[in-house]
Amino acid sequence: MSLYLHESTTPETIIEAKQGGIIGVKSYPAGVTTNSSSGVVDYGSFYPVFEEMQRQDLVLNLHGECPSNNDVTVLSAEERFLPTLFEIHKRFPKLRIVLEHVTSAQAVAAVKNCKSTVSASITAHHLSMTVDSWAGDPFCFCKPVAKTPADRDALLRAAASGNPKFFFGSDSAPHPLEAKRGGDKIAAGVFTQPYTAQLVLDSLAWGCENDVLKQEDITQDILEGFMSGFGRAFYGVENANPKEFIMLHKDDERIVDVIQTSESTVKVVPFRKGQKTWSITWT
């Protein structure tokens, strides 16, 4: 379980959180994405909190974007946040930090340049999307937004590298259909949860077919590390079911067009609806 970093958060909050079994604190810059209206305006004001988090060995989960203004857009927001990441890491070198759902080659390089206490999560949808994906499709719109083909390729290479700094994080957001197509603003978020492992494998396969990756480099160890092992190791979480596995195989599986409650009062459209993907079974 994680906390939301809020102006009311104090070092005493962190001590209490540690005692209560909390493992991390999620930070959103104010106004950059869904439910971030009470997010961070000034990171410097939270330095005492970060100091206590470092002492208590809690993880800082960073949504790494700057709010849009005259010279910052959704396409540059992540890159412009990276100096903040470097400053926090410099001041608190033992604080474990996850730069969440990275989307750019610059973010990948930044994480590589930090010490072992800094890692990054990569989503299934960012492994396949570019700016053209979300420009005309509200079901591909999320924050941070997908960027250029070169950025997507950098994410694919990071996911397939075997570098334990990079691991999977779904960031799956089941926004109701009307929130993605109606209202004054489109809700930021992509729903992938029923198909996350399949979507990752689809993207890696695409990378091999298009000479971004080499098929011989996509081993079971690489997949297990990226999808589960590296993240567990960073968080210090033991594998509770070491003999439980998933099996992925080619069949006639297609992603459903919509998922809805039994009363059909809430409908959610999955990422890549109607498209073919892998089938999955648990063993």
Side-chain angles (χ1 to χ4, degrees), residues 121-137:
S121 67
I122 301 175
T123 74
H125 45 288
H126 284 123
L127 286 174
S128 66
M129 294 198 304
T130 66
V131 61
D132 288 345
S133 303
W134 59 264
D137 184 350

Side-chain angles (χ1 to χ4, degrees), residues 6-271:
H6 183 266
E7 61 182 8
S8 63
T9 307
T10 65
E12 290 72 28
T13 306
I14 299 304
I15 295 171
E16 185 179 354
K18 178 69 173 184
Q19 293 171 347
I22 299 294
I23 62 172
V25 179
K26 181 68 180 285
S27 165
Y28 296 91
V32 300
T33 190
T34 307
N35 296 325
S36 65
S37 59
S38 298
V40 177
V41 175
D42 174 22
Y43 281 88
S45 65
F46 286 99
Y47 284 170
V49 172
F50 297 157
E51 178 68 39
E52 191 60 46
M53 288 179 62
Q54 180 175 248
R55 187 176 296 111
Q56 298 294 333
D57 197 27
L58 265 64
V59 176
L60 176 61
N61 304 97
L62 290 174
H63 181 119
E65 290 189 286
C66 288
S68 295
N69 57 37
N70 291 335
D71 65 343
V72 177
T73 71
V74 292
L75 291 174
S76 63
E78 182 173 85
E79 183 178 3
R80 294 290 291 273
F81 180 84
L82 296 176
T84 299
L85 168 68
F86 289 140
E87 182 63 23
I88 295 173
H89 181 44
K90 178 182 177 181
R91 287 177 176 270
F92 309 102
K94 295 182 180 180
L95 175 64
R96 288 183 293 157
I97 300 172
V98 179
L99 186 61
E100 298 287 4
H101 38 59
V102 294
T103 62
S104 63
Q106 293 88 344
V108 169
V111 171
K112 287 180 179 178
N113 287 334
C114 292
K115 295 180 180 179
S116 61
T117 49
V118 176
S119 290
S121 67
I122 301 175
T123 74
H125 45 288
H126 284 123
L127 286 174
S128 66
M129 294 198 304
T130 66
V131 61
D132 288 345
S133 303
W134 59 264
D137 184 350
F139 299 107
C140 291
F141 175 66
C142 61
K143 293 287 192 74
V145 299
K147 297 180 175 65
T148 69
D151 291 311
R152 175 206 54 209
D153 293 352
L155 298 181
L156 284 166
R157 294 187 182 103
S161 66
N163 185 336
K165 279 178 163 281
F166 300 98
F167 46 78
F168 173 72
S170 73
D171 196 40
S172 181
H175 292 298
L177 175 60
E178 57 270 21
K180 296 296 286 182
R181 280 194 166 161
D184 295 332
K185 289 186 176 181
I186 297 172
V190 173
F191 183 52
T192 57
Q193 195 59 50
Y195 301 97
T196 52
Q198 300 97 306
L199 291 169
V200 168
L201 204 57
D202 283 333
S203 294
L204 295 176
W206 181 94
C208 292
E209 293 164 3
N210 289 272
D211 298 324
V212 178
L213 305 172
K214 295 181 180 180
Q215 186 170 348
E216 58 267 26
D217 293 336
I218 312 302
T219 64
Q220 182 173 332
D221 286 343
I222 290 291
L223 290 173
E224 288 183 0
F226 177 70
M227 291 299 297
S228 60
F230 298 155
R232 283 202 312 271
F234 187 82
Y235 280 91
V237 177
E238 293 185 5
N239 186 357
N241 297 293
K243 296 183 179 179
E244 188 174 45
F245 296 90
I246 59 171
M247 298 287 292
L248 292 149
H249 52 93
K250 284 288 188 180
D251 205 344
D252 293 323
E253 184 90 12
R254 285 188 181 272
I255 297 172
V256 298
D257 289 335
V258 67
I259 295 174
Q260 57 190 5
T261 59
S262 57
E263 300 84 7
S264 299
T265 54
V266 178
K267 296 181 179 180
V268 180
V269 175
F271 180 59

